[in-house]
Amino acid sequence: MSRIVAVAPVLPAHAYAQAEIAAELATIVTADPTRRALLTRLHASCGIDRRHLALPLERYRSLGSFDETNALALEHGLALAERAVRDALAAAGLEPHDVDHLMLTTVTAVGAPSIDAMLVDRVGLRADVTRLPSFGLGCAGGAAGLARVHDHLLGHPDQVALLVSVELCSLTLQRDDDSTANLVASGLFGDGGAAVVMAGDRRTAPRGAPAAARAAWSGAPRVVGSRSMLYPGSGDALGWRVGSSGLRIVLSGGLPDTIRAHVADDVKALLTAQGAVPDDVTAWLVHPGGPKILDAAQEALGLPADALAPSRASLARAGNLSSAAVLHVLADAMATERAGPLGAGSAGGALGVVAAFGPGVGAELVALRWPSAGHVRATP
């Protein structure tokens, strides 16, 4: 099995209160007073206190073509990715030359060469590092990335791998679109990234690593299973329409119902393969896609009122960061790991479930086991 040794979440420096963003964007997105009022209400209902943006807020008024915004996404995405990679490697006590495999997930920065290729020289990775750039998984990309890197490490148990997520959602802003979907998106999505260090089962902490890094290796959760599902008939519920103005949001009001209808069966199937049931799960690490998405998952799974508090706290702190969001929740869970008795019904270590939903509509689920010496209590 592979291990998640370190997770390094990153956010841009420009941070604003949700109300401040709403006030600025209302005058950019629409001239209709009724639609401006709706935008303000929608932003206020997103469960978000603050968001981080790639650019100063006033800069969004003068943004031009898709050429310009995508170039900015690549520039700022690369800078975020570099920060995240350096932080994650330091936490694991590793150097860039230790990395054997690199996966990138993004749905907001289009480029060839892609950001992962740019990272090789920027960070000092080996020229023979194997790379897998991914575009299109959307909000499911963080969970899918964990699963696909795990698959690679099953076949390469001596290797170290990096999963990198970068999302510059603010740079997809459509200034001529006052549809409800665009008004919601303008209030929900933020900018950010994350890097995850994963290691194969035969890889050990480097000799001479600092004590904190050795502790990270010894306490690392293991990926023990994953499940991917596409829900028939939901292809028009979430995604992008790509055109001359860039990436236009597709966001259906029926998305929470789709998740509510399917997620419980898929989670139970994931856990059954581990000889477990939902009551055995200690940490629910659900993509903070928005209050309605979290409510749908919580209701479908029959979870206690505070089970998704970490996801709601992450949403309030930074908004929906697309593929990076669930990795921020995972980072919080790993940072608050505590020693203690295992929960009733768990076997072989405390059990966690990572869940995220993206275009398709697809669900990506990952089962984690923490070392049996302690368990995780994910708190906001």
Side-chain angles (χ1 to χ4, degrees):
M1 296 296 144
S2 66
R3 288 159 292 164
I4 300 174
V5 180
V7 183
V10 290
L11 295 165
H14 306 291
Y16 301 90
Q18 178 78 334
E20 187 177 0
I21 295 174
E24 178 69 11
L25 295 190
T27 64
I28 297 175
V29 173
T30 181
D32 182 341
T34 301
R35 302 305 285 175
R36 287 182 178 178
L38 176 59
L39 179 148
T40 300
R41 293 197 301 273
L42 290 170
H43 281 222
S45 67
C46 285
I48 297 169
D49 298 329
R50 196 169 184 81
R51 283 186 286 161
H52 292 248
L53 307 178
L55 307 177
L57 183 56
E58 63 273 12
R59 177 75 172 83
Y60 289 86
R61 185 173 297 276
S62 60
L63 285 180
S65 66
F66 184 34
D67 287 349
E68 179 186 7
T69 56
N70 190 63
L72 287 167
L74 290 171
E75 174 191 348
H76 290 273
L78 177 58
L80 278 176
E82 179 183 5
R83 279 176 49 202
V85 166
R86 292 190 186 280
D87 289 350
L89 290 176
L94 296 170
E95 299 294 335
H97 62 75
D98 292 317
V99 177
D100 303 291
H101 181 70
L102 171 62
M103 179 176 176
L104 169 77
T105 181
T106 183
V107 76
T108 55
V110 183
S114 48
I115 286 173
D116 55 296
M118 301 178 197
L119 277 172
V120 174
D121 283 340
R122 186 78 167 250
V123 176
L125 302 175
R126 299 198 319 265
D128 67 345
V129 66
T130 59
R131 297 184 296 109
L132 182 62
S134 169
F135 182 92
L137 288 165
C139 294
L146 295 174
R148 301 293 77 79
V149 172
H150 168 68
D151 292 342
H152 173 86
L153 291 172
L154 287 178
H156 303 84
D158 296 307
Q159 290 193 358
V160 166
L162 272 174
L163 169 64
V164 178
S165 163
V166 287
E167 301 291 7
L168 288 304
C169 302
S170 70
L171 294 172
T172 69
L173 178 68
Q174 298 293 310
R175 293 178 294 166
D176 62 344
D177 179 5
D178 66 357
S179 66
T180 301
N182 192 51
L183 299 185
V184 170
S186 72
L188 185 59
F189 292 96
D191 296 344
V196 183
V197 173
M198 298 178 66
D201 209 32
R202 294 206 297 257
R203 191 66 176 251
T204 58
R207 290 186 179 182
R214 294 197 305 273
W217 283 78
S218 64
R222 295 176 181 270
V223 177
V224 294
S226 66
R227 182 175 176 84
S228 301
M229 288 295 295
L230 284 173
Y231 301 140
S234 62
D236 59 352
L238 178 64
W240 295 126
R241 287 196 303 270
V242 183
S244 59
S245 66
L247 306 175
R248 289 181 176 268
I249 190 71
V250 175
L251 185 61
S252 166
L255 181 59
D257 290 336
T258 299
I259 293 169
R260 187 178 285 106
H262 296 284
V263 68
D265 287 342
D266 290 325
V267 168
K268 289 174 184 176
L270 174 78
L271 294 175
T272 296
Q274 304 304 318
V277 297
D279 284 348
D280 296 329
V281 176
T282 307
W284 291 98
L285 312 177
V286 177
H287 167 67
K292 292 182 179 180
I293 298 298
L294 292 173
D295 289 347
Q298 185 164 334
E299 292 166 13
L301 293 165
L303 301 180
D306 62 347
L308 300 187
S311 296
R312 296 184 192 277
S314 181
L315 180 67
R317 186 171 65 240
N320 179 346
L321 304 176
S322 191
S323 69
V326 80
L327 301 180
H328 280 235
V329 178
L330 174 61
D332 290 345
M334 291 177 63
T336 57
E337 183 180 355
R338 301 174 183 176
L342 292 172
S346 62
L351 182 62
V353 170
V354 180
F357 314 98
V361 168
E364 295 287 342
L365 307 174
V366 179
L368 306 178
R369 284 276 188 195
W370 269 263
S372 57
H375 76 277
V376 168
R377 180 179 177 83
T379 57

